[in-house]
């Protein structure tokens, strides 16, 4: 790959992670303020999973560009923890997505702030993404 391709891959990776983290935080805040339209939640879930796929593929591109760190190194440990957090985030996001789909099938127009568990799922997603971003910084720069 040319240097410009690596730059594009890294840019897409960071931009997508930022958009997913910011979008999740905005939805979490929206739950605290007012009812949230199920159509908006459904749209975000599609965006989230498309973005998650893009992050996985660009993350693999970053590993090709920078090399996979050894398991005995700090970067290797950070990568292992990051992959574990990603797995937990995906499982939690599946639960969240199915919850939103259930609202869509029930013809609910908006989810109100009384549905605290859905707001907590968005908060957990945001915190998970923030943890992944911190671990990405360790991978990129070390401790």
């Amino acid at each position: 790959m040319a240097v410009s391709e690596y730059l594009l891959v890294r840019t897409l990776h960071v931009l997508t992670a930022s958009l997913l983290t910011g979008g999740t935080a905005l939805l979490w805040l929206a739950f605290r303020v007012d009812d949230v339209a199920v159509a908006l939640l459904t749209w975000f879930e599609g965006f989230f999973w498309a973005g998650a796929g893009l992050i996985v593929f660009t993350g693999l591109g970053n590993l090709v560009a920078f090399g996979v760190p050894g398991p005995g190194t700090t970067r290797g440990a950070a990568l292992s923890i990051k992959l574990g957090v990603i797995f937990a985030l995906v499982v939690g996001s599946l639960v969240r997505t199915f919850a939103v789909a259930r609202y869509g099938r029930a013809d609910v127009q908006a989810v109100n702030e009384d549905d605290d568990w859905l707001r907590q799922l968005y908060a957990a997603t945001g915190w998970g993404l923030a943890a992944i971003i911190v671990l990405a910084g360790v991978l990129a720069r070390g401790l």
Side-chain angles (χ1 to χ4, degrees):
M1 262 196 220
V3 172
S4 60
E5 290 172 341
Y6 285 127
L7 181 61
L8 176 65
V9 167
R10 272 186 275 156
T11 302
L12 282 173
H13 191 76
V14 171
L15 181 63
T16 305
S18 301
L19 289 173
L20 290 182
T21 305
T24 302
L26 281 174
L27 284 176
W28 174 74
L29 288 172
F31 272 107
R32 297 186 62 83
V33 174
D34 200 5
D35 296 349
V36 180
V38 172
L40 174 64
L41 295 175
T42 303
W43 178 87
F44 179 77
E45 292 301 322
F47 173 75
F48 179 86
W49 288 107
L54 183 62
I55 285 177
V56 166
F57 286 112
T58 55
L60 292 173
N62 285 334
L63 282 176
V64 168
F66 297 111
V68 180
T73 64
T74 303
R75 290 182 65 225
L79 178 61
S80 297
I81 294 169
K82 183 179 177 181
L83 292 175
V85 174
I86 290 169
F87 178 76
L89 180 75
V90 166
V91 170
S93 295
L94 282 171
V95 171
R96 188 194 66 237
T97 299
F98 285 128
V100 171
R102 188 186 73 177
Y103 279 116
R105 281 193 309 271
D107 287 331
V108 175
Q109 298 299 316
V111 180
N112 59 29
E113 59 194 35
D114 295 334
D115 292 324
D116 192 45
W117 62 276
L118 191 56
R119 180 179 61 87
Q120 289 176 356
L121 286 172
Y122 279 102
T125 302
W127 284 110
L129 287 166
I132 290 168
I133 289 171
V134 168
L135 290 167
V138 172
L139 280 170
R141 303 284 179 206
L143 286 176

